[in-house]
Amino acid sequence: YIRRGICNTVTEVTKVTPPLLERRARQRQPTVSVLKSKLKQGVTCSGPRVRSTLTGFFPVVRWLPKYKLREYVWGDLMSGVIVGIILVPQAIAYCLLAGVEPIYGLYTSFYANIIYFLMGTSRHVSVGIFSLMSLMVGQVVDKEMFLAGFDLNEDSGPDCGKECYSISIAAALTFLAGVYQLVMAVFRLGFVSVYLSSPMLDGFATGASFTILTVQAKYLLGLKIPRHQGYGTVVVTWINIFANIHKTNLCDLITSAISISVLVAGKEIQERYKDRLKIPLPTELIVVAGATLASHFGELNSHYGSSVSGHIPTGFIAPQVPSFSLMPRLALDAIPLAVISFAFTVSLSEMFAKKNGYTVRPNQEMLAISFCNIIPSFFRCFTTSAALAKTMVKDSTGCQTQVSSLISALVVLLVVLYFAPFFYALQKCVLACIIIVSLRGALRKFKDVPAKWRASRNDGIVWLVTMSATALISVELGLLVGIVSNGLDVEWFLKAVSLLGRANDTDLYEDMDEYKNLMPPPRVHVFRFQAPLYYANKDSFLRSLYKAVGVEPFLELTKRRKAEKKAKEMSSKQAKANGDKNNGEVVIGLIQRELDFHTIVLDCSAIPFIDSTGMVTFKGLVKEYKEIGVSMLFANCNTSVINTLQKGQVFGENDKDMSSLLFHTVHAAVLHANSTSTESKSEDSVV
C-alpha cells in the first residue's frame, strides 16, 4: 500500500483509500537548451530593441514628451528653486567634510542633478551632495594627504598644492565608486543591499552623525586641530578639543552660537507650522547671507583671526581624466562608498515611488547613480547619492517630475557663474553650524530605540552595535560590523511560493503546481510563502504575492483614482451641458473595477518567524488591500509569528480584529471569507 503522494490512514487491509494528492511528473528542460534560448534573446538586434534599450537607458526620453505643462510646471518650478536655494549653502558647507575647496561642492551638485534628470526613474529623489558621503570622502582624502606628507593645517603643499592633490584623490575615489556601481548594475548585483537592513542603515547613519558632529566641533570654536587618522576618531578628537579649549576664538564661538540659534529656531518654526507654511523657510540662505555681510563689513578675518571660506572662482574647469596612479591605493576605500551610495538612492526612490503611486526600476537607479559619479569625476567632483532631507522638501513643495532637478541645477549654475566670489568672507564656523543642525534628524533616531527594542530585540541589537562601532571605531569598520551583525542568518534559497487549491471536498489545501485535481476556492486566493519573512526577503515576498494574485494594491488604487478623476471631469461637462448637477455624482459612484477575488488567505504554516520589517509588511498589506476592497486573512500562524503581529498591532488596538483576521486552518479562513462575502452581497442587494 505504499504509493507516491499523501494518503489517508488505512485501518483495514481490505479497503484502500486512493490518495487525495497525487504529485505531478515534472519534466525539466535541458540546461543547454535553456542557455541557448536566453543567449539568442540577448544577442538579438532589431530597430525596436535598440529603441527600447536607449529609452530604457535614458528614461527622460519616455516621460518628457508626455510632460503636462500646465499641470506640472508650477510644482516643479517651486520645488526646484527651493531645493536649489537650500543646495547652495549646503554644497559649500559639505566641502568642509570632504576636505576640498567650496567650488567643487557646487560642481558636484550641478552635474549630479543634470545626469539624474536624464537617467533617473524616480520623480521625487534629489541626488547630490550628502553629509555621510562627504564624511567618507573626507576621511579618505585626509588619510591620503597625511600619507603624502601634507600638513593639514596649511593651505598649500608640494607638487600641485594641497587643493589640487585633495580634489585629485576625491575625483579618483568617486570614479572608482561609480565603476563599482556600474559593474553591480550590469551584473545585477543589487542583492548586496539585502545585507543593509533598515535598522542597520539607521544605526550607521546615527553613528556617522556623531563623527560628523565631532569633526565639525573644532570649527565652532575656531580651533586648528588636524583630523585624527585611524580608529577612535570621535574619542581622540574630543580629547584634543578639550586639550586646546583655551585657544578658542571668541569671534567664531559667538558667531556659532548665533548661527545655531537662528537655524534651530527656523527648523522648529518650520516643523510647528508646516501645515500653514506653503514653502520651507530658507533659513540656511538667510544665515549665510547675514554672516557673510557681517564678516565682510566687520573684517572679522583680519581683526579677529576668524577662518573664512576664501576665494571661490567663477566658471567651470576643463574636464580631466581622474588620476589612475592613485586608484590602486583607493580601490578598497571606494567599495563602502559605492554600496552606501546606491543603497540610500534605491531605498529612497522606492519609498517615495510607493508613497506617490508609481514604480521605479532599481537596476536603472543603480545605473543612474553610477553615472552621477563616473561622469562628474572628470570635472573634479566627489561622490553623490540621494539625500533624504532635500527629497522630502521636493515632495512637500509640489514636485511632479525630475524637471525640478533641472531647475535646481540652473540655480547652482547662476551661483557658479556669477555669485560664487561673494562668499569669500563667509566664516567656516557658519558652514559647520549648517552641517551640525542638519544632523538633527539622524540624532533623533535615539528616540526610536525603545520602540525598536520592544518590536524586535534583534533589530535593536543590530542598531546599537552598528551605531556604536561606527561612532567609536570608524565609519568603514562600523559598516562592516553592521553587515556582519545582521547578515549572518540570511537564507538565500528559502524563497518558494505557491498558490494553493482544495483537494476534492476535504479541508486539505496544497500547491496547485505540484499536485493534480486541485480546485482553487471561488474568488479566494490562498498564498503560501515558505521562508522566514524579514528584511532580506521582504521585497521578494511582495513581488511573489503581487505576481500570484495579479493585483498590486497601490497601482490599482492609482488606476481607480485616475478613472474617478476622468469620470468626474466627463460628468461635470455632461452636467453643464444637460443642466443636471447630480449626474457627476452618479457616474463617480459607478467607477469601481470588479476584481476576480475578494480575499487573500496567507498560509503561514511555512513561515517560522518574522522580524519587525516582516510585521510592517503584513500590516501594510492588510491596509493597502483593504483600500481596494480585498480582505487579507492569516492562517496556520505559529505562536512566534502571532506574538510579533500582536506587538505590531496588526490585529488592531487590543487585538480587536484578531477573530476576523487570524485562523487556525486555511479551510476555516476560506469559509469565513465566503460567508463574509455572502453577507456583504446580501446587504448590497437590500441597499
Side-chain angles (χ1 to χ4, degrees), residues 390-461:
K390 291 187 282 291
T391 302
M392 291 179 68
V393 170
K394 287 181 72 170
D395 185 49
S396 63
T397 51
C399 172
Q400 299 291 331
T401 67
Q402 279 299 326
V403 169
S404 61
S405 293
L406 195 61
I407 303 298
S408 298
L410 293 177
V411 174
V412 177
L413 179 64
L414 289 175
V415 175
V416 171
L417 294 180
Y418 302 107
F419 301 113
F422 292 104
F423 295 102
Y424 175 90
L426 179 60
Q427 294 165 270
K428 289 185 178 180
C429 64
V430 176
L431 299 177
C433 292
I434 293 173
I435 295 172
I436 289 172
V437 173
S438 70
L439 301 175
R440 290 165 72 245
L443 295 176
R444 281 178 174 175
K445 295 290 184 181
F446 276 103
K447 293 182 180 180
D448 301 334
V449 175
K452 286 181 183 293
W453 188 267
R454 287 192 298 268
S456 172
R457 286 193 176 184
N458 290 337
D459 288 350
I461 291 172

Side-chain angles (χ1 to χ4, degrees), residues 359-395:
T359 58
V360 294
R361 289 183 286 138
N363 209 61
Q364 178 62 27
E365 288 295 297
M366 214 184 318
L367 277 175
I369 197 63
S370 69
F371 280 97
C372 283
N373 287 318
I374 292 175
I375 296 175
S377 68
F378 288 83
F379 296 91
R380 296 302 199 228
C381 300
F382 53 91
T383 314
T384 59
S385 79
L388 175 60
K390 291 187 282 291
T391 302
M392 291 179 68
V393 170
K394 287 181 72 170
D395 185 49

Side-chain angles (χ1 to χ4, degrees), residues 299-606:
E299 298 181 356
L300 302 183
N301 177 244
S302 57
H303 289 172
Y304 303 102
S306 181
S307 181
V308 296
S309 299
H311 175 65
I312 304 177
T314 57
F316 291 89
I317 59 175
Q320 297 178 354
V321 177
S323 176
F324 286 98
S325 61
L326 293 172
M327 291 183 187
R329 300 205 303 269
L330 304 175
L332 290 178
D333 295 315
I335 294 175
L337 276 165
V339 173
I340 292 295
S341 174
F342 99 78
F344 273 104
T345 302
V346 171
S347 62
L348 280 180
S349 62
E350 289 182 337
M351 180 173 71
F352 281 88
K354 185 173 182 179
K355 178 183 176 183
N356 292 279
Y358 62 94
T359 58
V360 294
R361 289 183 286 138
N363 209 61
Q364 178 62 27
E365 288 295 297
M366 214 184 318
L367 277 175
I369 197 63
S370 69
F371 280 97
C372 283
N373 287 318
I374 292 175
I375 296 175
S377 68
F378 288 83
F379 296 91
R380 296 302 199 228
C381 300
F382 53 91
T383 314
T384 59
S385 79
L388 175 60
K390 291 187 282 291
T391 302
M392 291 179 68
V393 170
K394 287 181 72 170
D395 185 49
S396 63
T397 51
C399 172
Q400 299 291 331
T401 67
Q402 279 299 326
V403 169
S404 61
S405 293
L406 195 61
I407 303 298
S408 298
L410 293 177
V411 174
V412 177
L413 179 64
L414 289 175
V415 175
V416 171
L417 294 180
Y418 302 107
F419 301 113
F422 292 104
F423 295 102
Y424 175 90
L426 179 60
Q427 294 165 270
K428 289 185 178 180
C429 64
V430 176
L431 299 177
C433 292
I434 293 173
I435 295 172
I436 289 172
V437 173
S438 70
L439 301 175
R440 290 165 72 245
L443 295 176
R444 281 178 174 175
K445 295 290 184 181
F446 276 103
K447 293 182 180 180
D448 301 334
V449 175
K452 286 181 183 293
W453 188 267
R454 287 192 298 268
S456 172
R457 286 193 176 184
N458 290 337
D459 288 350
I461 291 172
V462 167
W463 189 93
L464 288 171
V465 169
T466 307
M467 186 277 298
S468 302
T470 304
L472 299 178
I473 304 176
S474 72
V475 174
E476 293 79 6
L477 273 181
L479 176 62
L480 181 61
V481 169
I483 292 174
V484 171
S485 65
N486 79 143
L488 294 175
D489 59 345
V490 174
E491 301 173 33
W492 288 98
F493 301 105
L494 293 177
K495 293 184 179 178
V497 297
S498 54
L499 280 177
L500 308 185
R502 186 181 179 188
N504 298 330
D505 294 327
T506 68
D507 58 356
L508 182 62
Y509 291 78
E510 262 301 343
D511 189 349
M512 291 190 293
D513 289 335
E514 295 291 335
Y515 297 95
K516 300 177 180 179
N517 304 320
L518 297 180
M519 291 296 295
R523 303 202 66 194
V524 176
H525 285 310
V526 182
F527 181 80
R528 176 186 289 166
F529 185 71
Q530 302 178 71
L533 181 59
Y534 59 129
Y535 70 90
N537 60 2
K538 178 257 297 182
D539 293 330
S540 173
F541 166 79
L542 289 175
R543 285 194 300 268
S544 302
L545 176 62
Y546 296 153
K547 183 178 179 181
V549 303
V551 175
E552 198 163 348
F554 77 91
L555 290 181
E556 174 66 21
L557 192 61
T558 302
K559 291 178 183 178
R560 292 185 180 185
R561 285 173 179 168
K562 288 181 179 179
E564 182 177 327
K565 183 179 179 182
K566 186 179 292 186
K568 187 175 181 180
E569 292 174 355
M570 294 177 62
S571 61
S572 61
K573 291 179 181 179
Q574 187 176 354
K576 288 180 181 179
N578 300 334
D580 182 7
K581 296 182 179 180
N582 296 322
N583 187 47
E585 296 177 1
V586 173
V587 174
I588 292 169
L590 295 175
I591 300 297
Q592 287 291 335
R593 190 167 80 92
E594 184 71 12
L595 300 176
D596 60 355
F597 65 99
H598 54 71
T599 304
I600 299 173
V601 175
L602 184 60
D603 179 12
C604 302
S605 59

Side-chain angles (χ1 to χ4, degrees), residues 41-63:
Q41 292 175 0
V43 299
T44 301
C45 184
S46 62
R49 186 176 178 84
V50 172
R51 194 181 306 113
S52 175
T53 302
L54 290 176
T55 55
F57 196 71
F58 295 104
V60 66
V61 178
R62 291 184 177 180
W63 61 261

Side-chain angles (χ1 to χ4, degrees), residues 108-405:
T108 301
S109 300
F110 174 76
Y111 288 114
N113 276 283
I114 294 292
I115 295 170
Y116 192 81
F117 162 76
L118 297 172
M119 300 186 66
T121 59
S122 172
R123 303 175 193 172
H124 297 84
V125 160
S126 176
V127 172
I129 53 171
F130 182 38
S131 59
L132 183 55
M133 294 292 103
S134 301
L135 170 69
M136 296 175 74
V137 170
Q139 288 186 329
V140 177
V141 168
D142 280 0
K143 180 187 71 174
E144 293 298 324
M145 296 277 286
F146 179 78
L147 293 175
F150 284 86
D151 187 345
L152 300 182
N153 286 326
E154 294 182 357
D155 294 332
S156 62
D159 298 329
C160 67
K162 180 181 176 182
E163 174 190 346
C164 177
Y165 195 68
S166 63
I167 192 58
S168 297
I169 296 168
L173 184 68
T174 300
F175 177 81
L176 280 175
V179 169
Y180 290 157
Q181 290 168 336
L182 180 61
V183 171
M184 289 161 62
V186 170
F187 290 98
R188 300 185 181 276
L189 300 179
F191 67 83
V192 175
S193 64
V194 304
Y195 289 101
L196 308 178
S197 66
S198 178
M200 196 226 79
L201 287 176
D202 286 345
F204 179 70
T206 305
S209 298
F210 269 112
T211 307
I212 295 171
L213 174 63
T214 301
V215 169
Q216 297 304 300
K218 65 179 182 180
Y219 294 107
L220 302 183
L221 304 174
L223 300 176
K224 293 186 177 180
I225 303 172
R227 187 181 294 183
H228 173 70
Q229 304 300 319
Y231 303 131
T233 297
V234 171
V235 176
V236 175
T237 302
W238 280 111
I239 292 174
N240 290 334
I241 288 174
F242 284 110
N244 293 274
I245 197 75
H246 60 282
K247 299 179 183 179
T248 298
N249 187 308
L250 290 178
C251 178
D252 283 345
L253 180 61
I254 294 171
T255 303
S256 299
I258 296 172
S259 299
I260 289 178
S261 300
V262 174
L263 288 167
V264 171
K267 298 292 184 183
E268 291 296 330
I269 293 171
Q270 177 69 42
E271 291 179 4
R272 183 169 297 182
Y273 301 103
K274 60 183 178 181
D275 296 331
R276 300 182 185 178
L277 296 173
K278 294 184 178 180
I279 60 174
L281 296 175
T283 316
E284 290 93 344
L285 187 65
I286 293 171
V287 169
V288 166
T292 303
L293 292 173
S295 177
H296 174 73
F297 290 106
E299 298 181 356
L300 302 183
N301 177 244
S302 57
H303 289 172
Y304 303 102
S306 181
S307 181
V308 296
S309 299
H311 175 65
I312 304 177
T314 57
F316 291 89
I317 59 175
Q320 297 178 354
V321 177
S323 176
F324 286 98
S325 61
L326 293 172
M327 291 183 187
R329 300 205 303 269
L330 304 175
L332 290 178
D333 295 315
I335 294 175
L337 276 165
V339 173
I340 292 295
S341 174
F342 99 78
F344 273 104
T345 302
V346 171
S347 62
L348 280 180
S349 62
E350 289 182 337
M351 180 173 71
F352 281 88
K354 185 173 182 179
K355 178 183 176 183
N356 292 279
Y358 62 94
T359 58
V360 294
R361 289 183 286 138
N363 209 61
Q364 178 62 27
E365 288 295 297
M366 214 184 318
L367 277 175
I369 197 63
S370 69
F371 280 97
C372 283
N373 287 318
I374 292 175
I375 296 175
S377 68
F378 288 83
F379 296 91
R380 296 302 199 228
C381 300
F382 53 91
T383 314
T384 59
S385 79
L388 175 60
K390 291 187 282 291
T391 302
M392 291 179 68
V393 170
K394 287 181 72 170
D395 185 49
S396 63
T397 51
C399 172
Q400 299 291 331
T401 67
Q402 279 299 326
V403 169
S404 61
S405 293

